Amino acid sequence: MRLTFLGTGTSHGVPMIGCDCEVCRSSDPRDHRLRSSALVETSSTRLLIDCGPDARQQLLGIPFRKIDGVLLTHAHYDHVGGLDDLRAFCQFGDIDLYANDVAAKNIRHNFPYYFEEKLYPGVPRFHLHEIPAHVPFLIGDQKIVPVSVMHDKLPILGYRIGRLAYLTDVKTIPSEEYDYLKGIDTLVISSLRWEVPHHSHLLVADAIAIARRIGARRTYLMHLTHKIGLYEEASDRLPKDVRLAYDGLTIEI
């Protein structure tokens, strides 16, 4: 199994509109961050995690094949704003979306034309599945376990897929959820920046503390702002088992 980071930025992306800092002006492509999304693939199964407003740009860069399922963490625009760009993939069949009840309700409200009885010609054809935390389900050859985490006061989903865990937009993880993260080898987790606490996101030190509690062998930080600093300099500040993810990075699980 491999994971490709399609985007590793926050809702603003990097460069950020109106900013002239050294990160936003950097010529290093590893400092350019689209909104967060990832692709998990085996030889027979392909899973998209989140589908934000940069989806068209991200999906143009990957081989055009069937997407077997879209795992949505929550319904904030930077994570679902690109769903319409999945229209082309519907030539392989209707697309299954997976979300918790809160996100599913918001998606139906914000994109009602996906779910009308008589669909407008050309809209993507989705099956939206409401999934509870902790109950495993299968997509192709992959067993997926949803994990409930908190984005400030909003319950959202992280996903465990084999020995990979993908947790974005996290602020806190209820203690009982750690039971579902035991034995993780690779942790992908969000962390905005080094300093200045945020009401709904982790900082780097917080993410590393969670990685230590889980016992992950390696950790990739994503959902990063320009405040993380230049890729090269920021990487030097991290422990050897913790790395900054960047757009286009592919890792083997």
Side-chain angles (χ1 to χ4, degrees):
M1 184 171 72
R2 66 181 180 272
L3 179 145
T4 300
F5 292 94
L6 301 179
T8 56
T10 61
S11 57
H12 288 290
V14 184
M16 190 174 78
I17 293 174
C19 183
D20 195 39
C21 75
E22 64 175 354
V23 177
C24 289
R25 289 185 288 106
S26 171
S27 60
D28 186 341
R30 294 172 298 182
D31 291 322
H32 300 170
R33 303 183 184 279
L34 300 175
R35 269 65 73 95
S36 290
S37 178
L39 192 69
V40 177
E41 299 175 284
T42 67
S43 59
S44 62
T45 302
R46 196 183 222 194
L47 307 174
L48 182 65
I49 304 179
D50 284 337
C51 187
D54 297 319
R56 178 183 176 278
Q57 183 176 352
Q58 293 164 334
L59 296 173
L60 280 171
I62 65 172
F64 185 58
R65 298 197 303 272
K66 180 181 179 182
I67 293 175
D68 296 286
V70 182
L71 307 177
L72 299 174
T73 59
H74 60 300
H76 285 170
Y77 182 77
D78 58 317
H79 294 264
V80 301
L83 285 172
D84 209 62
D85 291 320
L86 298 178
R87 283 182 292 171
F89 292 90
C90 289
Q91 69 180 262
F92 301 108
D94 296 359
I95 295 176
D96 292 300
L97 309 178
Y98 300 85
N100 68 11
D101 56 346
V102 176
K105 180 180 178 181
N106 285 328
I107 290 166
R108 289 192 178 97
H109 176 270
N110 294 336
F111 303 98
Y113 56 94
Y114 294 160
F115 306 104
E116 293 174 348
E117 184 175 345
K118 293 185 178 180
L119 294 177
Y120 184 83
V123 302
R125 303 182 69 92
F126 292 135
H127 297 298
L128 179 56
H129 305 271
E130 293 187 20
I131 53 172
H134 312 146
V135 178
F137 63 99
L138 292 174
I139 302 178
D141 62 1
Q142 291 303 299
K143 176 183 175 182
I144 298 145
V145 181
V147 180
S148 184
V149 300
M150 298 301 295
H151 184 29
D152 192 14
K153 297 179 182 179
L154 177 68
I156 70 174
L157 291 180
Y159 292 97
R160 176 173 182 163
I161 307 170
R163 298 187 69 192
L164 164 72
Y166 186 98
L167 308 175
T168 190
D169 288 47
V170 181
K171 178 60 178 180
T172 56
I173 301 178
S175 58
E176 60 271 17
E177 299 301 312
Y178 283 93
D179 289 340
Y180 299 95
L181 297 168
K182 289 179 179 178
I184 288 299
D185 176 80
T186 302
L187 173 65
V188 176
I189 190 167
S190 57
S191 60
L192 282 193
R193 54 199 180 214
W194 300 94
E195 300 171 339
V196 187
H198 191 279
H199 70 97
S200 61
H201 287 279
L202 299 169
L203 301 183
V204 172
D206 303 322
I208 292 174
I210 288 172
R212 297 289 182 258
R213 180 169 177 178
I214 291 172
R217 180 179 64 87
R218 58 179 179 171
T219 298
Y220 289 87
L221 305 181
M222 52 84 181
H223 208 277
L224 306 164
T225 74
H226 60 164
K227 297 289 187 180
I228 202 69
L230 295 169
Y231 176 85
E232 288 283 5
E233 295 177 3
S235 295
D236 289 341
R237 299 176 62 180
L238 294 170
K240 290 184 178 181
D241 61 326
V242 180
R243 306 162 195 176
L244 293 186
Y246 56 85
D247 294 14
L249 172 65
T250 295
I251 58 175
E252 299 293 329
I253 308 298

